[in-house]
Amino acid sequence: MVFARVAGFFSRSALTRMAAVGAVFLGATTFLGSMTGSALAAGCGQPIAAGRHHITIETDGVARSAIYFIPSSYTGKDKVPLVFDLHGSHSNPQGQLNRSSWDKVAEKNGFIVLALQGSLPGSSAGTYAWNVPFVTAQQGGLDEIAYIRQAIATAKQEFCVDPARIYASGYSGGGRMLSAYLCSGRDEFAAAGFVHSLRAGRPVETGGKWSPDAQGCNPAKPISIMAFAGVKDAANPYAGGGSTYWQYGFKTAVQRWTELDGCSGNGESKTIGDVTFSLYGTCKNGARVASYVFANGTHDWPKPAPATEAVIAAAKDGAASVTKVAAVAVAKPAFDANVDPASRMWDFFRKADSTDVIATAAPAKTGSAAKSGTGVASDCGTEADLQGTTCNSNQPIDMRRSGQGVQDAL
């Protein structure tokens, strides 16, 4: 009897399940013998312990590392959604989960998260970066497209997931890698999210203007996309420029995806404080393109400020000198300016075919803490918090007139 054998090896999760069901192993053959060939989907049938776990994914003969998170509600019997989480440059899967909080959203909503690890060494021990096709020149990188493909296949084999509800999210370099994956023509993801990272093909210069390579991005189908950007982002500048792999700005990337998705109209925009939400809601095959832009946002992962409770008004009753307290109704905001990307992306992913894609949580707290919509979940977290995650390098780069990165560029 073989448990989730992929590419000739036993994954860590398969071995975990083998140990977990050891007490009933003798009865497993009889149980499976009573099932029809199609009754038990790959990866379904056995529970997995909740929490974060390491897994090895063999790709082209090389063992690649990743971390997956299982929610406490997972039984192995019902197919659940799966979200991929791709870390930024000079980081790792653990650090990315700490930054993005995708595992917390998964625990609340009952889905699995799989955080992959790039093949290039980062700026310090235990950190990594992605070998993004066409724009990364650092030596030693592996085929990341093949790795992501194999990771998807492994997840389907190992976990009880719904293949129609597989999504992906990327931060910084991880989002650039995810952009390249979609541009390569792969169609496994039902929707994708990008934090400070959306691309629509490598940058090329024509007539002194940088734009996405029209021939280098050929998605298999229109896909719903939600992207976040900070106007004060120094690593991947909102207006363009920066490193050779970047060059064209966020607006250009969004506009190109509306063309690739066949969106109609000019989109709808709403602004609260310094946060602007935009939505192209009418694209081919039901796809939508949404974005959040933070006027005071940097390259840090946006974090929400604590939301205020209902506004309370007090009025004295002069006769009895008794203070009466009454809740004052607060008008429902156009969207929640107090945005957390993971939870917003999840709402967008699961409602991609619905008009309800604007967050409607409680209004943000007034004051300076709520104006920027961003917090301190940056690449500069402590090693204890981010397990080796370090700052993205913003060193000047010798510019070249193409989108190909210079030596050692990530």
Side-chain angles (χ1 to χ4, degrees):
M1 184 175 181
V2 178
F3 282 78
R5 183 181 291 274
V6 179
F9 77 103
F10 286 109
S11 73
R12 181 178 296 272
S13 61
L15 295 175
T16 300
R17 286 204 296 273
M18 289 174 69
V21 300
V24 296
F25 183 79
L26 293 178
T29 302
T30 301
F31 170 72
L32 291 177
S34 65
M35 304 289 287
T36 64
S38 61
L40 187 61
C44 296
Q46 298 295 342
I48 304 176
R52 296 185 188 182
H53 307 274
H54 289 273
I55 187 172
T56 298
I57 300 170
E58 185 176 334
T59 308
D60 295 334
V62 178
R64 301 289 300 270
S65 295
I67 291 176
Y68 64 94
F69 173 82
I70 300 293
S72 57
S73 61
Y74 181 80
T75 64
K77 298 178 181 179
D78 300 316
K79 292 183 179 181
V80 301
L82 170 66
V83 174
F84 280 75
D85 190 12
L86 276 60
H87 65 75
S89 301
H90 315 298
S91 185
N92 53 43
Q94 288 279 19
Q96 176 58 19
L97 286 174
N98 291 345
R99 171 183 290 109
S100 70
S101 298
W102 264 118
D103 53 348
K104 292 182 176 61
V105 180
E107 174 63 23
K108 180 179 179 181
N109 294 279
F111 61 88
I112 296 173
V113 180
L114 181 55
L116 304 183
Q117 180 172 292
S119 65
L120 290 170
S123 59
S124 62
T127 66
Y128 303 88
W130 295 94
N131 184 33
V132 183
F134 304 115
V135 297
T136 301
Q138 180 169 317
Q139 301 299 314
L142 301 177
D143 185 346
E144 311 286 25
I145 299 292
Y147 170 45
I148 296 174
R149 289 178 59 188
Q150 184 58 57
I152 295 169
T154 300
K156 291 178 180 178
Q157 193 75 19
E158 292 289 296
F159 314 126
C160 194
V161 299
D162 182 350
R165 292 186 292 166
I166 299 178
Y167 313 100
S169 165
Y171 167 64
S172 192
R176 293 189 290 108
M177 184 62 239
L178 177 57
S179 298
Y181 189 82
L182 298 181
C183 284
S184 74
R186 303 301 306 178
D187 66 351
E188 297 93 341
F189 297 127
F194 302 83
V195 180
H196 309 321
S197 57
L198 181 65
R199 300 285 80 190
R202 65 177 180 174
V204 294
E205 185 189 31
T206 304
K209 181 180 179 180
W210 289 93
S211 61
D213 179 8
Q215 305 301 316
C217 186
N218 300 286
K221 61 183 179 181
I223 181 173
S224 291
I225 283 176
M226 175 171 277
F228 298 77
V231 175
K232 297 181 179 180
D233 187 339
N236 293 332
Y238 177 78
S243 300
T244 52
Y245 61 69
W246 193 251
Q247 292 309 299
Y248 59 86
F250 178 75
K251 287 184 178 179
T252 300
V254 171
Q255 180 61 37
R256 180 55 182 155
W257 273 106
T258 65
E259 296 169 359
L260 292 169
D261 277 355
C263 303
S264 61
N266 297 320
E268 299 178 2
S269 295
K270 296 180 177 65
T271 299
I272 294 180
D274 74 336
V275 183
T276 297
F277 174 85
S278 299
L279 173 67
Y280 287 81
T282 307
C283 309
K284 291 182 178 179
N285 294 345
R288 296 161 188 267
V289 177
S291 66
Y292 283 96
V293 175
F294 301 86
N296 293 312
T298 64
H299 197 65
D300 295 350
W301 182 281
K303 285 293 181 182
T308 183
E309 296 181 358
V311 177
I312 301 298
K316 280 195 174 183
D317 184 327
S321 296
V322 175
T323 299
K324 293 182 178 180
V325 180
V328 176
V330 180
K332 183 177 180 180
F335 67 92
D336 183 6
N338 190 21
V339 171
D340 176 76
S343 59
R344 295 308 99 206
M345 283 188 278
W346 174 245
D347 284 346
F348 182 71
F349 292 168
R350 68 190 182 90
K351 299 177 182 178
D353 59 349
S354 167
T355 57
D356 184 18
V357 296
I358 300 179
T360 56
K365 178 184 289 185
T366 58
S368 59
K371 286 184 178 180
S372 70
T374 58
V376 293
S378 70
D379 280 343
C380 306
T382 64
E383 186 167 330
D385 289 337
L386 300 182
Q387 299 199 15
T389 301
T390 57
C391 297
N392 279 340
S393 174
N394 293 325
Q395 296 300 316
I397 294 177
D398 180 24
M399 296 302 300
R400 301 182 181 182
R401 299 287 91 186
S402 74
Q404 181 69 28
V406 297
Q407 184 71 19
D408 295 333
L410 298 179

